[in-house]
Amino acid sequence: MPSTPLPIRPDPPHVAPGRAYSAVRVGDRFERQVDITDAHLSDGARLIGDFNPLHVDEDFARASHFGGRILHGVITSALMGAELGMVFAGTALGYLEHNARFLAPVRPGDRLAIAWHVTELIDKPRRGGGIVVAEAEARNQHGELVATAHGRMLVRG
């Protein structure tokens, strides 16, 4: 199936300067909430080219063991990683590692509470900062743990 390019927003939202490495401490927490909509499933399918009927066909998905459409795992992972990316917007030199584990389905209408906590800081003076190592959880509006993640971000300053 040919892909349709997604529109590019001409004026991205204003982004506050990201945290410098020197301002981060082990134990710091970064949190956000995301309301999952039908657009996450349809736009996600177009973006990554995964049109599995579990994501795009309500009748098919309703007959599955999930009982309805579910969000792509990679989109759940990206929504989790976006929080860490925004914390270090403009100070990140590179997202070095991101691993996710999916524990329960995410559905349209869910509200995900995404929380990262810093577990380790690795100084990299030759890079002008260091690596922030963090772990994340995503929980739905019922408090159910739907995904976990591990990330390593090289941050300046």
Side-chain angles (χ1 to χ4, degrees):
M1 177 177 279
S3 64
T4 304
L6 295 175
I8 297 174
R9 182 183 297 174
D11 298 314
H14 174 73
V15 176
R19 287 195 185 193
Y21 177 75
S22 61
V24 180
R25 302 289 176 263
V26 170
D28 283 357
R29 290 182 59 86
F30 314 112
E31 301 177 6
R32 80 173 184 146
Q33 290 188 351
V34 178
D35 292 320
I36 304 303
T37 67
D38 288 326
H40 286 97
L41 279 74
S42 59
D43 291 348
R46 282 193 302 278
L47 180 65
I48 63 175
D50 179 352
F51 295 90
N52 183 315
L54 287 171
H55 309 303
V56 299
D57 182 333
E58 184 60 44
D59 291 334
F60 177 92
R62 191 177 305 113
S64 77
H65 70 279
F66 291 112
R69 291 182 310 138
I70 60 171
L71 186 62
H72 304 76
V74 70
I75 301 297
T76 300
S77 179
L79 291 169
M80 293 176 76
E83 172 59 15
L84 199 57
M86 293 308 296
V87 167
F88 300 108
T91 58
L93 299 172
Y95 202 172
L96 305 177
E97 181 180 335
H98 180 92
N99 301 301
R101 182 161 186 238
F102 309 109
L103 305 169
V106 176
R107 307 171 186 284
D110 279 353
R111 173 171 279 181
L112 295 186
I114 299 165
W116 285 90
H117 69 276
V118 176
T119 59
E120 183 180 4
L121 297 169
I122 305 169
D123 293 341
K124 294 290 181 183
R126 288 182 30 190
R127 298 284 185 204
I131 298 172
V132 176
V133 181
E135 302 288 332
E137 290 187 341
R139 294 183 179 274
N140 65 19
Q141 67 277 12
H142 306 294
E144 180 181 15
L145 184 63
V146 298
T148 59
H150 168 86
R152 295 166 57 96
M153 182 85 72
L154 180 60
V155 179
R156 69 176 175 186

